[in-house]
Structures are given as C-alpha cells and as structure tokens.
C-alpha cells in the first residue's frame, strides 16, 4: 500500500512536468507531416476561457424547444405575420382593407427567430416565379415541385421532410416526392424491392469526370443483363399499408435508349402497359392509383437498358418536395449533368423552386480566401438558371461546425468566409440567399445544439439530429412564407388599384 505522501509527491511531480511542458510548448502547436499537435497551456487548464459559450436557451425560447421536441410539427394558430402588416401599413399603400386581404399562413410559431431571406439588387422578384405558382396553385393539373439539393446535412430526408409537411399543410399535396432507385431501397417510409439486375450511377463519382445522364436526382439506374442473355429486364415492387390513401399519383421518370416494354400494376390490376419508343429526351409516365392500392409493381424489358431516374410518390395537386442528398458534395457537380436532359426533366416535373444547401464539405479546408469556391459556385448557379428559367433558386448557406481547440469545441475560424463566398455567388447569379449559420445562432452555436436535451445536433458537431433539422426547416419556412405574404399583399394591392 502506497503512503499518501508518496502518492501526493508523485502527483506534484507529474503536474510540474505538465506545467513545464505547457510553458515551453509553442502556442500554435508543432506540425508533423501535415498534422498539428497542440498542448494546453496552464491558463487553458486552470482558467479556461468561457467567453463565447452559448446555451440553447439563449438561442431559442423554451416554448419553441418544447414544441420541436414533443411533437411532429410545431403547432400554432393560423397567423398573418405582424411584420408584414407593419411593412404594408407604413408604406405608401393606404388601402384600408389591405391588412385584411393578406394571405393567412398556417402553423407558424411566433417565437421562432426571424432570419430573413436575403436578395440581390433585383430584390424579391428573384422568387416571383415560385410565388406566382403558389398563388395560382389551384389552376395546376399536377403538383408544382421543389427540389432540395444538399450534402449529407439533408440525408434521410432531414430538413426536407419538415419543409414538405409545412408547405403541403398550406398549399395541399402529399406523398414523399421522388426517390431514386437507390434511395427508394433505403426508404423507411416504403417497403421497396427490386431485381438484382440494377446498376446505379451517381453524379458524385470522383473516378468519373465525364458528363453523364444522371437526371435531376443525380442518380441513374440501368438494367443489367438478364439470366438468359436475350433481353435487359428489371422489376420493382413497392408495398405499404394504405399506400393508395397516402399517394394518389405514381410516376416514373426515365430515358428509353431503345424501345421499352413497360408494365405497371396496382395489386393485380394492370394500370399501364405500352411499348415506349426510343428517345433522346426524358419521359415521364404518371399513373393514378386506386385508394385501395397496397402494392405497386413495375416491369421493364428492352434490348438496350433505359436510364431510369426515379419513382414519384405524390398527389395530383398541391406541392411536392424532393430530397436529393449528395454526400461529400460542395455543390459543384451540377455542370457535369447533360444540360438539355436536365432542362427537359425540370419542365416535365413542373419545377418551380430549387433549394441548394451546401458548405460543410468546404469548411475543413481552411484557406485565406474562398474566391475559388465563390466563382465555382457562381458557375453552377448560372448553369441552373439557364436550364431552369421558370424556377426560382435559393442558396441556403453553410451551418455552424465545431473543431476541438485546446479542449473546447469552437466554430471553425473560416465558416463566415465560406458563408460570405456563398452569398456573393448567389447575389452575383441573381439568386436568393438564406443564412443557416445565423439561424443556428452564429459563432459557437453548434455546441449548444449538441448539448441541448434532447440534442439538436450530433456529437460529430456537424450534422443535425431530426429535431434540429426540423427546427431549421421551421425557421426557413417562416422566412419563406413571410416573403410570400409580402408578395401576395403587393400583388393584391396592385390588382385592386
């Protein structure tokens, strides 16, 4: 048994050694083969810097946190955002009934922070194509579409699912949107199986720099060689209880490179059967489902495999929102796509809004300037505006991310530089911008999101939990609907006059 004095002496010696090391060790650390090794100073050990530490209750009200944690959606009474009433009443518009003619937006929590969408010099007209479609949504014979592109931050339908729910509560619609064959097989909403003859190809393939026909969902599938070697064949089966009540419209988006025999059944009833001629353009087949449908089965056969882009699960009206995650992406792959194919697909799908949410894969590359990223992102936005002239574009900026610095999790020092590069690219291209970093609470917000109970972000200090993703979607939706109200009020007033 060691005597207490000896144990205490050993501890003093260890502390003295550590203190000596901390005094002589370079504050900036030592770099070995590209890796920087740091050592905490005595100040870090005994007088840690607590400035800049944020608590989740400083960022969001208890009411908001309780609702986001305890329900599938934040429920509030229907509201007309007060800011809009004030803006109109303080302007030159003096019609007495203006405020009463504002569009009422359902289920917006008043205590959510107001993080406005930002616009280039052209102003809110940037979103008018989308707002025009929303205001006339009842006149469309098929749903208008929102395509939400992003990196791993939106995987598994994060952020998208809540945004879809909110938009459909307001404007009608339903279903899950489009799924690629790969994402469909990973879906937790549907039970989907297919033959093992499918070969999927993604746009995010570092080993293949050539342009491919990936389609609007950035993943195409081809039918492999059948067992007898005579035809290319493939099949897909989708099952879900009450499937026909959840979705009424089943769609297939593909490009037939040779005559294609296509058959689609709902349970045992053939709803569609035809030979589709070869085409250089994408084709969209839509099929109305009986409400009793439990199983959808699709069979394809062709001499040369078609390019199969996605399965659509929607209603025949309202709005549809598609989730398109590209893991590892910085949002610079769009120009790899066949521009004509993408333009044709957007037109077929009735796309009215493109959301781009990227940046977390740029942040770990800490450099002095992000002009290179700004210019590269600008080129992507210019390309998208060319192939989707009837759609509005909103670039959602990078979220907060943390790194370990002297034992503390703090924001990367370059996040605001990346965010600002994204904003400049958006404005230069004539697109709107929304600041996700600011919506989270700005610098050093991520640790508060991770330590929240239940957590709003994962312990990788990068990705949102489902609750955190829902909160971001709610804040963004509030900003989007605020500007839609402004658009409707102005349009109504002009028409009224």
């Amino acid at each position: 048994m060691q005597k207490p004095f000896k144990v205490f002496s050993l501890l003093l010696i260890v502390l003295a050694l550590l203190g000596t090391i901390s005094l002589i060790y370079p504050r900036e650390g030592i770099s070995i083969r590209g890796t920087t090794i740091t050592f905490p100073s005595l100040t870090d050990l005994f007088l840690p810097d607590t400035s800049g530490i944020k608590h989740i209750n400083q960022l969001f009200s208890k009411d908001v946190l309780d609702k986001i944690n305890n329900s599938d959606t934040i429920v509030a009474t229907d509201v007309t955002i007060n800011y809009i009433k004030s803006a109109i009443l303080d302007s030159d518009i003096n019609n007495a009934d203006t405020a009463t003619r504002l569009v009422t937006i359902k289920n917006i929590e008043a205590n959510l922070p107001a993080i406005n969408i930002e616009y280039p010099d052209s102003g809110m007209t940037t979103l008018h194509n989308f707002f025009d479609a929303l205001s006339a949504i009842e006149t469309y014979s098929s749903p208008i579409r929102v395509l939400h592109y992003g990196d791993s931050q939106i995987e598994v339908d994060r952020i998208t699912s809540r945004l879809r729910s909110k938009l459909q509560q307001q404007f009608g619609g339903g279903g899950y949107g489009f799924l690629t064959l790969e994402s469909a097989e990973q879906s937790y909403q549907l039970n989907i199986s297919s033959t093992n003859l499918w070969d999927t190809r993604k746009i995010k393939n570092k080993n293949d720099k050539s342009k491919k026909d990936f389609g609007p969902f950035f993943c195409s599938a081809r039918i492999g060689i059948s067992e007898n070697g005579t035809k290319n064949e493939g099949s897909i089966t989708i099952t879900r209880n009450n499937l026909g009540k959840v979705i009424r419209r089943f769609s297939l988006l593909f490009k037939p490179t040779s005559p294609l025999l296509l058959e689609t059944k709902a349970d045992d009833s053939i709803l569609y059967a035809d030979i589709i001629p070869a085409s250089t353009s994408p084709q969209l087949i839509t099929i109305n489902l009986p409400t009793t449908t439990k199983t959808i089965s699709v069979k394809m056969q062709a001499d040369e495999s078609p390019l199969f882009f996605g399965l659509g699960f929607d209603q025949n009206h309202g709005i549809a929102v598609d989730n398109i995650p590209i893991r590892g992406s910085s949002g610079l792959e769009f120009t790899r796509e066949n521009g004509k194919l993408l333009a044709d697909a957007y037109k077929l799908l009735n796309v009215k809004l493109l959301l781009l949410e990227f940046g977390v894969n740029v942040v770990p590359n800490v450099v002095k300037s992000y002009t290179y990223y700004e210019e590269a992102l600008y080129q992507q936005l210019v390309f998208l505006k060319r192939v989707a002239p009837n759609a509005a574009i909103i670039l959602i900026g990078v979220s907060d991310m943390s790194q370990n610095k002297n034992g503390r999790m703090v924001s990367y020092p370059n996040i605001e530089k990346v965010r600002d590069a994204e904003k400049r690219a958006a404005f230069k291209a004539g697109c709107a911008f929304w600041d996700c970093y600011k919506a989270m609470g700005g610098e050093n917000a991520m640790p508060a999101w991770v330590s929240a109970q239940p957590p709003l972000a994962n312990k990788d200090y990068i990705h949102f939990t489902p609750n955190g993703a829902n909160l971001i979607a709610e804040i963004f939706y509030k900003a989007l609907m605020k500007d839609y109200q402004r658009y409707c009020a102005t349009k109504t007033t002009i028409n009224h006059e």
Side-chain angles (χ1 to χ4, degrees), residues 100-212:
T100 62
R101 289 186 284 103
L102 291 176
V103 174
T104 298
I105 305 299
K106 299 176 180 178
N107 295 334
I108 290 184
E109 170 55 50
N111 291 327
L112 285 168
I115 308 299
N116 295 334
I117 296 173
E118 301 174 59
Y119 298 97
D121 292 339
S122 56
M124 203 171 68
T125 56
T126 304
L127 296 187
H128 276 196
N129 281 347
F130 179 53
F131 290 160
D132 286 344
L134 288 181
S135 66
I137 201 161
E138 294 180 357
T139 67
Y140 286 90
S141 59
S142 61
I144 67 171
R145 302 201 81 84
V146 176
L147 270 58
H148 187 187
Y149 294 97
D151 47 38
S152 56
Q153 192 68 276
I154 71 166
E155 281 185 333
V156 201
D157 219 18
R158 288 196 304 265
I159 301 176
T160 312
S161 60
R162 178 57 66 91
L163 182 60
R164 181 188 301 118
S165 174
K166 300 294 288 187
L167 286 168
Q168 289 175 350
Q169 287 175 37
Q170 179 69 29
F171 299 101
Y176 314 113
F178 262 89
L179 302 175
T180 65
L181 187 64
E182 180 181 70
S183 62
E185 290 182 332
Q186 298 171 357
S187 172
Y188 61 90
Q189 301 276 12
L190 301 166
N191 182 12
I192 300 179
S193 60
S194 64
T195 62
N196 59 2
L197 305 176
W198 292 98
D199 170 43
T200 58
R201 302 180 182 184
K202 299 181 183 178
I203 199 167
K204 185 64 181 176
N205 183 350
K206 296 180 179 179
N207 297 322
D208 185 357
K209 300 298 182 182
S210 63
K211 289 187 177 182
K212 299 287 185 182

